[in-house]
Amino acid sequence: MTVRTRFAPSPTGYLHIGGVRTALFNWLFARKHGGQFILRIDDTDAGRNVKEALVPILHGFKWLGIDWDEGAEVGGPHAPYYQSQRLERYQAAVKTLLDKGLAYHDYATPEELKAERESAEKEKRPYHYSRRWLAETPADRAKFEAEGRKASVRLKMPREGACEFNDHIRGSMKVAWTQEQDHVVQRADGSCLYNLATVVDDFDMKITHVIRAEEHLSNTPRQIFIAQGLGYPLPEYAHLPFVAEPGSKRKLSKRELEKYLKNADFKKVNEHGRAVAEKLGLEMKPETFNPVIVDFYEQVGYLPQAIVNYLLLLGWAYDDKKEWFTRQEMIDLFCLEKVNKAAASFDVKKLFAFQDHYMQELSVEEKVQRVLPFLERAGVQSGQAVATVTAIVRAAGDRIKVAGDILDYCDFFTPDDRLKYDDKAFDKSIRNDANALPLLQRVADLLAKTEPFESAALEKSLHDFLQTEGLKFNQLHGPLRVALTGKAVGFGLFDTLAILGKERSLKRIELAAGRVNT
């Protein structure tokens, strides 16, 4: 048997981090067993589909390196892979179920169904549809339609016995049929619903293993009923623990950002991302730009391998020691038997630690290639200044946690007379310090004579100067850094001078001095 797995996102919103984890586990299982991974699009809910959401969903998988063998954009022998293009196939399946007496036309109105539910609640008994408006014969249908009613199609679920199946993660499962309702599989307008469509698709696309989030566990009995009714062989099932909110056991939602921001780590990561986005002029709607959505991490400058490595460990562990995995190790070592049953809490601090680890493993040259696109998007003409970018990256070292952090150093590319100053830092270090301006002027005279204008020579020259003047380094550090960069913080002062060069360093000291009396 060739292993075939699938992931079927709905284009009703942007790519959720929990959905990516599910797709990753399907991809790893297929790759581990030399099988195929299929990406099909669950777009049966036309009312909720967001056309523009499909592009970032597909792009997100490509960015993460989760490729697919068949499906959207790449095609394959079982096309079409969009559910909206498979309606005739679903309607044929509905007809089969009707012909076998495993489904029926139902003419109940929403108001009548609501009344039945309320009656069951009032009498404190389990609700089961009475099938009062069931129509099994043409005569029944004609009678109801004469009253102006429209029919949906419902499954005629068993009212005794149980559905039994095995789950690779949860073991032997048994669900009493009395817990199942007569689920609607076709709306009155002829469109078909998820539970039927996914069963037909899995059969047509020869899916052998259905690996999905545990929220779909309740769908399994009704889908088994449909599959058996249509004469399909059953796939093997594995229901993954859901990805939970930070520090909680509740499912992570991309719609509840404000609640998550009460978590200090989540808030810190979000603010970091927004700072990068603001420098790039990105649109920052909560529904499209927040740490629950994969696109957030690409826009900020995370590394795909950091995201994938972290998601691997959301609900799965090889042992109690190994955390860092190459892509090939992930494939070789992954197995469903090591997936946990308990919910996996989404820890943005842990994810950031993975990002930092992988970022610091890059060579300076690799980091430069990662950060250049961010400078270009910010309007910095870095194409002619790769040497400068390289020097900045080398000097910044582990201060660059994500590629977008390079934007903290855009002041190196800013024309000297357009440098923006942090007013608070300028006032504290220069304007309100009577000794700052005379000190900067003496330092400027020293810098003008320093050769070569390189970090080591500058360090020696300035330390000798401070010793002669009887000053401590922090007395010079603040005024000189603000004069050079407009900010109170940054990487090494000697590297800063060397990267700016003599002419620009002197010019910026002159401009800062002139700003004191403005």
Side-chain angles (χ1 to χ4, degrees):
M1 177 183 67
T2 299
V3 167
R4 289 173 62 84
T5 66
R6 49 76 168 175
F7 183 68
S10 299
T12 57
Y14 288 75
L15 192 55
H16 185 272
I17 204 81
V20 176
R21 193 281 306 267
T22 299
L24 173 64
F25 282 19
N26 274 276
W27 183 86
L28 288 171
F29 189 80
R31 295 290 176 262
K32 167 74 175 285
H33 295 281
Q36 290 95 44
F37 172 61
I38 292 84
L39 182 67
R40 69 173 186 245
I41 307 303
D42 180 2
D43 57 351
T44 54
D45 191 347
R48 294 181 60 227
N49 290 338
V50 181
K51 185 177 180 180
E52 61 271 20
L54 183 57
V55 173
I57 286 174
L58 299 180
H59 173 77
F61 284 125
K62 294 174 185 175
W63 176 65
L64 291 169
I66 301 176
D67 57 336
W68 55 100
D69 303 288
E70 298 174 26
E73 290 191 339
V74 304
H78 306 290
Y81 294 93
Y82 292 80
Q83 290 188 336
S84 60
Q85 299 172 18
R86 298 174 53 81
L87 299 184
E88 290 184 6
R89 183 73 183 89
Y90 306 145
Q91 289 167 349
V94 170
K95 184 178 184 303
T96 298
L97 293 173
L98 287 168
D99 291 344
K100 289 185 173 183
L102 300 174
Y104 59 89
H105 291 97
D106 178 57
Y107 287 86
T109 65
E111 294 75 19
E112 288 163 343
L113 294 171
K114 180 181 178 182
E116 283 201 353
R117 288 193 191 91
E118 290 175 346
S119 177
E121 290 176 7
K122 185 176 180 180
E123 297 171 13
K124 297 182 178 180
R125 58 178 170 80
Y127 169 68
H128 281 93
Y129 176 43
S130 66
R131 298 176 179 168
R132 177 179 172 185
W133 293 276
L134 175 155
E136 291 186 307
T137 68
D140 291 337
R141 296 190 64 187
K143 173 180 175 294
F144 284 128
E145 289 172 6
E147 297 174 7
R149 295 173 179 267
K150 293 184 178 180
S152 61
V153 176
R154 290 181 179 274
L155 298 175
K156 195 171 186 180
M157 300 297 290
R159 295 286 171 90
E160 59 183 20
C163 176
E164 298 185 42
F165 61 96
N166 182 69
D167 186 286
H168 276 275
I169 297 168
R170 295 161 198 284
S172 180
M173 304 292 294
K174 184 175 182 178
V175 180
W177 285 121
T178 54
Q179 295 182 27
E180 291 292 317
Q181 301 296 327
D182 287 0
H183 305 285
V184 174
V185 291
Q186 181 174 287
R187 302 180 183 91
D189 63 4
S191 61
C192 295
L193 279 74
Y194 164 78
N195 278 306
L196 180 122
T198 196
V199 170
V200 174
D201 289 346
D202 285 345
F203 171 72
D204 286 354
M205 297 175 193
K206 303 185 185 305
I207 302 302
T208 61
H209 293 76
V210 173
I211 303 170
R212 57 189 178 183
E214 70 172 288
E215 64 201 69
H216 291 289
L217 187 59
S218 61
N219 290 327
T220 305
R222 66 202 67 162
Q223 291 176 7
I224 288 176
F225 177 81
I226 293 170
Q228 291 177 333
L230 294 171
Y232 297 167
L234 296 180
E236 297 182 39
Y237 295 98
H239 289 88
L240 309 174
F242 62 76
V243 177
E245 297 174 0
S248 169
K249 294 184 179 180
R250 295 184 298 271
K251 182 184 174 185
L252 184 71
S253 168
K254 58 189 171 187
R255 299 181 180 88
E256 300 191 36
L257 178 63
E258 292 303 319
K259 180 170 67 175
Y260 306 150
L261 290 181
K262 294 178 182 178
N263 176 294
D265 295 329
F266 200 100
K267 183 176 182 179
K268 184 177 180 181
V269 167
N270 191 56
E271 288 176 346
H272 186 191
R274 293 181 72 84
V276 172
E278 286 173 359
K279 293 180 177 110
L280 292 174
L282 297 177
E283 186 178 20
M284 294 180 287
K285 296 180 181 178
E287 64 271 22
T288 60
F289 191 86
N290 76 66
V292 176
I293 297 170
V294 169
D295 188 55
F296 170 91
Y297 296 98
E298 183 181 7
Q299 296 294 337
V300 169
Y302 277 63
L303 296 169
Q305 58 265 43
I307 304 291
V308 171
N309 196 154
Y310 174 71
L311 291 180
L312 172 68
L313 299 175
L314 271 182
W316 181 88
Y318 178 66
D319 55 28
D320 60 355
K321 297 178 182 178
K322 187 172 177 60
E323 284 192 313
W324 315 107
F325 296 82
T326 66
R327 190 64 63 106
Q328 192 58 51
E329 285 177 328
M330 294 180 191
I331 293 171
D332 292 342
L333 299 177
F334 183 79
C335 61
L336 293 173
E337 288 73 20
K338 291 183 179 291
V339 176
N340 300 317
K341 295 180 183 179
S345 179
F346 180 57
D347 185 344
V348 287
K349 185 177 181 181
K350 183 73 171 177
L351 172 55
F352 190 76
F354 272 82
Q355 165 61 23
D356 190 23
H357 169 84
Y358 279 106
M359 195 68 173
Q360 306 321 323
E361 281 200 332
L362 298 181
S363 67
V364 170
E365 293 72 22
E366 288 171 324
K367 282 187 182 180
V368 169
Q369 292 307 309
R370 292 283 180 179
V371 304
L372 282 174
F374 285 82
L375 290 170
E376 291 163 0
R377 287 165 61 192
V380 175
Q381 299 300 315
S382 59
Q384 300 175 0
V386 174
T388 301
V389 177
T390 301
I392 291 170
V393 168
R394 182 176 287 110
D398 62 6
R399 289 173 178 267
I400 298 180
K401 308 290 187 183
V402 303
D405 286 343
I406 192 64
L407 301 178
D408 291 338
Y409 307 105
C410 281
D411 48 77
F412 284 94
F413 302 96
T414 302
D416 301 327
D417 57 357
R418 287 162 55 185
L419 181 66
K420 293 182 179 179
Y421 296 87
D422 179 322
D423 289 332
K424 185 176 180 180
F426 188 90
D427 289 346
K428 178 182 178 181
S429 297
I430 300 178
R431 193 189 302 278
N432 298 332
D433 183 349
N435 297 317
L437 194 54
L439 178 59
L440 285 175
Q441 290 170 339
R442 296 199 302 277
V443 167
D445 292 339
L446 174 69
L447 294 176
K449 302 172 185 177
T450 301
E451 290 293 345
F453 206 81
E454 297 173 352
S455 182
L458 288 164
E459 181 175 5
K460 183 179 186 309
S461 181
L462 285 170
H463 275 303
D464 290 346
F465 168 80
L466 291 172
Q467 188 172 7
T468 301
E469 294 273 334
L471 298 173
K472 294 182 179 180
F473 183 68
N474 61 4
Q475 291 175 276
L476 171 63
H477 179 271
L480 185 54
R481 179 175 294 285
V482 172
L484 294 172
T485 67
K487 300 179 294 188
V489 296
F491 53 70
L493 190 58
F494 310 117
D495 287 328
T496 299
L497 286 162
I499 292 169
L500 283 171
K502 180 182 291 189
E503 182 179 346
R504 296 188 68 198
S505 294
L506 294 174
K507 180 64 175 178
R508 289 193 176 195
I509 292 173
E510 179 187 346
L511 290 169
R515 190 174 188 268
V516 170
N517 297 317
T518 61

